[in-house]
Amino acid sequence: MNAVTNSTPTSPVDAALQSQRYLTAALYKFVDLPDYRALREPLLACCEAHQVKGTLLLASEGINGTIAGPEAGVRAVLAHLHADPRLASLQHKEAWADKPPFLRMKVRLKKEIVTLRVPELDPNKTVGQYVKPQDWNALLADPEVVVIDTRNDYEVVIGTFKGAINPNIKTFTELPAWLDAQPALQAGSAKKTKVAMFCTGGIRCEKSTALMKMRGFDEVYHLEGGILKYLEEIPPEHSIWQGECFVFDERVSVGHGLQPGPYGLCRSCRWPLSAEDKASPHYVKGVSCPQCHDKRSPEEKAHLAERQRQVELAEARGEVHVGARLHNHEH
């Protein structure tokens, strides 16, 4: 969409195009919410009343999620959240999309707002040192810093920071075991090791850095606001980010300035797909891709093919078919 300059009046067409854009707000906050179950219904009703879709997770340890919709609707939901004194300081990250990033609205009750399964961990009490995006490059330039990408394998494959270690985990819950297996990150002198961690929006690092602190590491850092904040604030010419950043919505990936990237999503295994992947003989839209083509039975592929057919029929009628679910929400 072409930008409207200050010298040119906004035409009705331009105004209509602007009104059709979707505001995305990614948010999380660790805060004590013992009554989190009672918060669900009013929050869901507010989202539905304002045509806002996405996923929000509520737990006794806080809130996490991403929502999208008309700007006025998203602002109304944020105002609803901020009206709770415990969430008054809740911050969010914004991005714009020309298509709806989400197809449904879910407010889910969870044991954790990001699952690590270390019950004794409390990010409200102990956490690593925040590093602003503007200071991240200098930290990573320190040869004594061990940089760990805490995201899942399908996220790391399309982009990461130069020099970062990829744990090759399929879920965040595998991170503690991976750390256990690293000789350089064990007891003794390694406790003096400087560790820097990062993730998509910052929430996973709240727990991963808290875990490192709990294990006795003194100098533990994490990127404040995550990769998304870095890509939003750091211009490409000063960036050490390589590739795209996977996001848990219909955009699939974003680049610098949080512009939607070129990746699609396999609706079978949810692996991000490049143009090369889509050109593979193993890619069948909605059914398989090079990553999963040999991991599905004929029956599963038949089911997926039928689901894809229903999706395309719905699109032809101008309707929305929810199709496959995206990954569980993680920032």
Side-chain angles (χ1 to χ4, degrees):
M1 186 176 71
N2 294 329
V4 179
T5 63
N6 292 334
S7 60
T8 304
T10 302
S11 71
V13 172
D14 286 325
L17 286 172
Q18 181 68 32
S19 68
Q20 290 168 7
R21 300 195 77 199
Y22 297 86
L23 176 62
T24 298
L27 56 93
Y28 77 87
K29 184 176 179 64
F30 282 98
V31 60
D32 193 22
L33 297 176
D35 60 337
Y36 72 99
R37 293 180 182 277
L39 304 180
R40 181 182 181 274
E41 290 303 326
L43 179 54
L44 180 60
C46 180
C47 292
E48 291 179 339
H50 292 94
Q51 292 80 53
V52 170
K53 294 180 172 63
T55 300
L56 291 171
L57 308 180
L58 292 169
S60 59
E61 67 179 10
I63 184 172
N64 171 31
T66 305
I67 55 175
E71 180 178 5
V74 172
R75 304 280 182 218
V77 174
L78 293 173
H80 172 87
L81 292 170
H82 291 149
D84 186 323
R86 298 167 297 184
L87 300 176
S89 61
L90 175 69
Q91 297 182 354
H92 68 280
K93 291 182 285 292
E94 295 186 358
W96 290 93
D98 293 320
K99 296 180 180 179
F102 300 103
L103 303 177
R104 53 168 79 77
M105 184 66 223
K106 298 285 185 182
V107 180
R108 292 179 171 147
L109 302 178
K110 308 284 281 187
K111 291 182 179 179
E112 301 178 70
I113 55 173
V114 61
T115 304
L116 190 59
R117 298 191 184 124
V118 182
E120 63 272 27
L121 204 62
D122 187 355
N124 284 310
K125 294 180 180 177
T126 305
V127 74
Q129 183 175 329
Y130 295 106
V131 179
K132 298 284 187 186
Q134 294 79 7
D135 302 322
W136 186 246
N137 290 5
L139 175 66
L140 267 58
D142 184 340
E144 295 185 2
V145 172
V146 175
V147 188
I148 302 172
D149 191 332
T150 66
R151 300 172 304 149
N152 302 333
D153 53 5
Y154 57 84
E155 300 174 80
V156 181
V157 73
I158 66 170
T160 190
F161 283 107
K162 184 179 180 180
I165 296 172
N166 176 12
N168 283 301
I169 55 176
K170 295 191 180 303
T171 67
F172 188 49
T173 55
E174 295 178 6
L175 186 66
W178 178 83
L179 290 169
D180 289 340
Q182 306 310 304
L185 296 176
Q186 301 311 311
S189 60
K191 300 301 183 185
K192 299 299 181 183
T193 300
K194 299 178 184 177
V195 178
M197 301 176 126
F198 64 92
C199 57
T200 308
I203 187 171
R204 280 177 275 187
C205 291
E206 299 273 359
K207 286 199 169 180
S208 62
T209 58
L211 179 64
M212 300 304 287
K213 296 286 285 187
M214 189 177 77
R215 291 184 172 200
F217 285 79
D218 296 323
E219 293 191 64
V220 184
Y221 307 90
H222 57 127
L223 177 57
E224 186 172 2
I227 302 163
L228 294 179
K229 198 65 177 174
Y230 183 92
L231 293 177
E232 180 184 351
E233 296 190 356
I234 305 302
E237 61 269 24
H238 298 141
S239 174
I240 55 173
W241 174 259
Q242 298 176 324
E244 294 278 317
C245 178
F246 185 96
V247 289
F248 294 86
D249 59 56
E250 294 292 326
R251 294 172 298 171
V252 183
S253 73
V254 296
H256 284 92
L258 302 184
Q259 293 300 307
Y263 285 84
L265 194 72
C266 176
R267 297 294 172 177
S268 175
C269 70
R270 298 163 178 80
W271 195 267
L273 300 174
S274 66
E276 184 179 359
D277 292 327
K278 291 180 181 179
S280 166
H282 296 306
Y283 173 65
V284 179
K285 187 176 181 180
V287 177
S288 66
C289 74
Q291 183 70 21
C292 70
H293 72 97
D294 58 350
K295 300 180 177 68
R296 296 280 183 262
S297 68
E299 292 79 12
E300 288 174 321
K301 288 183 177 180
H303 172 76
L304 292 166
E306 174 58 23
R307 185 185 64 187
Q308 181 62 28
R309 190 178 75 87
Q310 294 297 331
V311 169
E312 291 174 0
L313 284 173
E315 289 176 350
R317 294 192 299 265
E319 300 171 359
V320 173
H321 187 285
V322 294
R325 297 189 178 200
L326 291 173
H327 297 271
N328 288 334
H329 198 285
E330 296 182 73
H331 283 309

